[in-house]
Amino acid sequence: MRYTLSQRLAHFFHVVSNIRPVVWIGIYVCITPIFALIYWGLPDGQFRIPDGGGTDYGSWLYYSIVTITTLGFGDYTPAHPGAQAVTAVEVMCGLIFLGFFLNAVGAMKSEIDVESEIEKQRALHHAAESDKLQKSLPMVLNSLNVFLAYCYAVTTPVEKREKAISAEGPAAAASEPDDLRYNPDFTFRDLSGMFQPSGLPFDRTNLPAVERLMHSAAQTSLALDSLQQRIDLTLWPQLLEDCFSFVANFQMFSNTDLMFRNPDHIILSDGTSNPSSVKEKLADKIANWNPDDDLSQDPDLKAVVELFQFIKENAERARQIATELTEIAMTPAS
């Protein structure tokens, strides 16, 4: 590819402008003693030297400094073409390198100004996104807390659940006491009461806890997906990753969770379709599960196993998101 002269010059000055000013000033300073050495090596008689003027290296260093800075005191004067040519070259070098230095200083200032403006815009963007996130926090945190409450209900045996809820009273949901807090170490057997009503103080329905869990998971997924669309969560990479993971996990689970959204429509492998009988048989299978049993061999429990894994992963993810959102809310605006 052939370049025009103007393109070559533009590229040259672009390269020159990107060289740091300290480099140019370093070259400017370094060539001064080099030219002094050249003057010192020229034959005698090349300069008119004032009375009492020296011809040692220090004297020529003085002349080189006066020349490259274009001061030109006139005490040392080049009298022959060789001396005049060297002096002229040094003057030109001084002007060129000083010009490059000033150009580099200007380019650096422009770069600093641009970076300052970018940082200013970044700060304004961060403040605007933080403000939008703060306004969305109550709704999102409520969805997450409700989801975790239903995770607790589904993964806690009915007897233990009823005892804890009755002991804590109506204020349990607001205070989230330890006895009503989701336990990430629940076992497969703990899912045996998932077809019973949750019994949570804020749940005034008589629907199975697992059905309410799936409804809550859908609402939470929708809230987090909306959060990603409305707010630039790339400012909080970990929060973005956790929200994306929650939504993705729920979407992958959406086919299986249909039976849990409508547990009355479940039909077991033996043909049992009566809602009450189906729930009782599944609850009995879960309660009597043996850790040594291969769950993949029981088609009736396949969906329950997927539910178990879904809760294990997404409940922990929900807790992380709630913690991250709380930390963001408590972080003062910069």
Side-chain angles (χ1 to χ4, degrees):
M1 182 176 180
R2 301 180 65 181
Y3 294 94
T4 64
L5 179 60
S6 60
Q7 289 175 324
R8 292 178 182 275
L9 288 174
H11 176 71
F12 170 76
F13 282 108
H14 174 73
V15 173
V16 167
S17 298
N18 286 330
I19 297 177
R20 299 290 89 181
V22 66
V23 175
W24 292 120
I25 202 66
I27 295 174
Y28 185 83
V29 170
C30 289
I31 64 173
T32 303
I34 295 175
F35 276 98
L37 191 63
I38 295 173
Y39 296 136
W40 190 32
L42 289 175
D44 294 338
Q46 292 285 317
F47 288 87
R48 297 190 187 93
I49 301 174
D51 294 339
T55 57
D56 57 349
Y57 179 75
S59 299
W60 294 118
L61 181 61
Y62 156 76
Y63 174 73
S64 181
I65 294 173
V66 170
T67 299
I68 200 168
T69 56
T70 68
L71 292 175
F73 292 139
D75 43 359
Y76 284 78
T77 308
H80 291 276
Q84 292 170 349
V86 176
T87 300
V89 169
E90 183 175 17
V91 171
M92 292 301 297
C93 286
L95 292 174
I96 290 172
F97 289 133
L98 186 60
F100 285 160
F101 167 74
L102 295 175
N103 180 68
V105 169
M108 178 178 284
K109 183 180 183 303
S110 297
E111 181 181 328
I112 293 173
D113 291 342
V114 169
E115 289 177 353
S116 176
E117 182 62 25
I118 292 175
E119 186 60 34
K120 179 182 177 181
Q121 294 301 322
R122 185 183 293 115
L124 290 174
H125 177 63
H126 191 284
E129 296 304 302
S130 294
D131 184 61
K132 289 194 290 185
L133 183 59
Q134 294 279 357
K135 293 177 180 177
S136 302
L137 280 179
M139 178 193 70
V140 177
L141 284 175
N142 180 67
S143 296
L144 291 167
N145 288 331
V146 170
F147 172 74
L148 287 171
Y150 281 117
C151 284
Y152 158 80
V154 170
T155 60
T156 304
V158 176
E159 299 78 10
K160 183 178 179 182
R161 193 194 317 165
E162 291 176 347
K163 181 179 179 181
I165 293 174
S166 61
E168 296 296 340
S175 60
E176 195 188 0
D178 289 340
D179 288 343
L180 295 182
R181 192 169 295 165
Y182 163 73
N183 176 22
D185 297 323
F186 72 93
T187 66
F188 188 76
R189 285 198 191 99
D190 292 331
L191 295 174
S192 60
M194 65 180 180
F195 290 115
Q196 299 298 319
S198 70
L200 295 172
F202 58 83
D203 183 6
R204 302 190 181 278
T205 71
N206 199 38
L207 297 173
V210 67
E211 184 176 347
R212 299 298 296 155
L213 170 66
M214 290 300 100
H215 181 268
S216 173
Q219 294 296 320
T220 304
S221 177
L222 183 63
L224 294 179
D225 187 49
S226 175
L227 195 71
Q228 295 178 75
Q229 293 180 19
R230 292 184 292 105
I231 300 173
D232 182 10
L233 293 185
T234 57
L235 299 171
W236 302 277
Q238 188 58 52
L239 176 61
L240 174 62
E241 180 182 341
D242 289 335
C243 288
F244 178 83
S245 296
F246 187 102
V247 174
N249 287 341
F250 176 75
Q251 290 175 345
M252 288 189 292
F253 186 66
S254 60
N255 290 329
T256 302
D257 80 336
L258 290 175
M259 66 174 288
F260 296 119
R261 290 192 194 182
N262 300 284
D264 290 346
H265 297 167
I266 300 174
I267 300 177
L268 299 183
S269 58
D270 62 3
T272 303
S273 59
N274 179 275
S276 298
S277 300
V278 167
K279 293 174 185 177
E280 289 176 4
K281 286 187 176 182
L282 276 178
D284 186 63
K285 282 189 174 185
I286 296 170
N288 295 308
W289 169 74
N290 189 318
D292 296 328
D293 293 342
D294 185 0
L295 291 172
S296 63
Q297 300 300 317
D298 191 335
D300 295 334
L301 292 181
K302 179 181 178 182
V304 182
V305 172
E306 293 186 21
L307 174 67
F308 175 84
Q309 296 170 341
F310 171 78
I311 296 175
K312 279 282 185 181
E313 184 168 351
N314 264 25
E316 186 60 31
R317 192 75 65 183
R319 294 172 70 181
Q320 292 177 6
I321 294 172
T323 300
E324 290 159 8
L325 289 173
T326 303
E327 291 175 350
I328 292 172
M330 296 176 63
T331 303
S334 55

